[in-house]
Amino acid sequence: MRIPYRPLAIGLVTLAFSALVLARAQSGDRHFFAPVADPVVKEECGSCHLAFAPSMLPARSWQRMMGELDKHFGDNASLDPATAEKITSYLVANAGDAGGQRYSSKLLKGVATGAAPQRITELPKWVSEHRKVPDWEWRHKEVRTKANCIACHTAAEQGYYEE
Ligand code: HEC
Ligand code: HEC
């Protein structure tokens, strides 16, 4: 395999950026949701839509979703069992309530204990944060669906949801 110079340069930039992101995350930035870092998850769960930040849903949501990938919001997103298992572990380990903590508690506020919501866009807190977004904006041809976070949050892939 050829190893060109460019990826290295990009790697360095990414590293500098990660350090910045980490610093902001540690300072408890409420707009920050750590993006998917695992390349397999990024590829398999980021091909049809943004690879959603695992901390936006509780662990039980991911467990349920990963067990029903053949019926994934009207799509078949099935994976081989080994890959599915790997992805499930990653999502669960980084879930909003991982290890009993709730570092995304603002977004998970109002979700009943034991519930396994399947949509971030149906979380009570998500709905209230977006109540001011007018109907025409959701229907805009560059948006089309509430799940298209990146249309409005241009830095969503880096974990930022300021606006
Ligand atoms: C074959 C395409 C496809 C793949 C692959 C895929 N998804 Fe989806 N996903 C969809 C569609 C379609 C929707 C519904 C989007 C909408 O409502 O506009 C969706 C919605 C979602 C939602 C809910 C978004 C909301 O409304 O809050 C989550 C969470 C999600 N997917 C996670 C995953 C995960 C995790 C993976 C990897 C295991 C994955 N997806 C892989 C097609 C896919
Ligand atoms: C049509 C544009 C639009 C789309 C699509 C959208 N958002 Fe937002 N979002 C907004 C706006 C506008 C606000 C700010 C609301 C306010 O400050 O009153 C917001 C606020 C937020 C916040 C709160 C940030 C804070 O200030 O604390 C989060 C988190 C968030 N969005 C996540 C998401 C996620 C995740 C998705 C995709 C599943 C998404 N948004 C899709 C427009 C959008």
Side-chain angles (χ1 to χ4, degrees):
M1 196 171 69
R2 218 158 47 89
I3 303 174
Y5 176 67
R6 236 165 77 83
L8 178 65
I10 290 167
L12 290 174
V13 172
T14 308
L15 197 68
F17 186 76
S18 305
L20 182 78
V21 161
L22 198 66
R24 289 188 66 172
Q26 283 164 345
S27 72
D29 193 322
R30 71 187 189 103
H31 306 289
F32 180 78
F33 294 83
V36 169
D38 184 296
V40 176
V41 182
K42 229 189 232 172
E43 188 178 325
E44 302 294 351
C45 304
S47 54
C48 298
H49 48 63
L50 168 78
F52 298 111
S55 67
M56 290 191 163
L57 287 174
R60 54 188 178 273
S61 294
W62 295 123
Q63 276 157 338
R64 186 179 137 199
M65 191 179 298
M66 292 304 293
E68 304 172 342
L69 281 181
D70 56 327
K71 303 183 292 284
H72 184 74
F73 305 92
D75 267 16
N76 186 343
S78 298
L79 293 166
D80 66 90
T83 308
E85 200 180 308
K86 239 188 107 184
I87 294 175
T88 307
S89 308
Y90 179 84
L91 295 172
V92 165
N94 294 283
D97 58 349
Q101 54 166 314
R102 299 200 114 198
Y103 58 85
S104 71
S105 59
K106 286 219 77 175
L107 197 56
L108 294 187
K109 209 173 144 203
V111 175
T113 335
Q118 296 296 285
R119 280 191 183 269
I120 298 159
T121 53
E122 284 176 2
L123 296 173
K125 189 70 192 167
W126 191 96
V127 172
S128 70
E129 290 281 6
H130 293 85
R131 70 188 179 281
K132 287 186 202 143
V133 179
D135 256 11
W136 66 262
E137 222 169 283
W138 295 124
R139 286 194 307 262
H140 193 282
K141 63 174 173 18
E142 313 246 304
V143 181
R144 287 180 200 278
T145 159
K146 292 183 177 176
N148 189 10
C149 323
I150 219 161
C152 304
H153 303 285
T154 51
E157 269 176 323
Q158 286 77 44
Y160 292 104
Y161 293 85
E162 268 145 281
E163 217 168 301

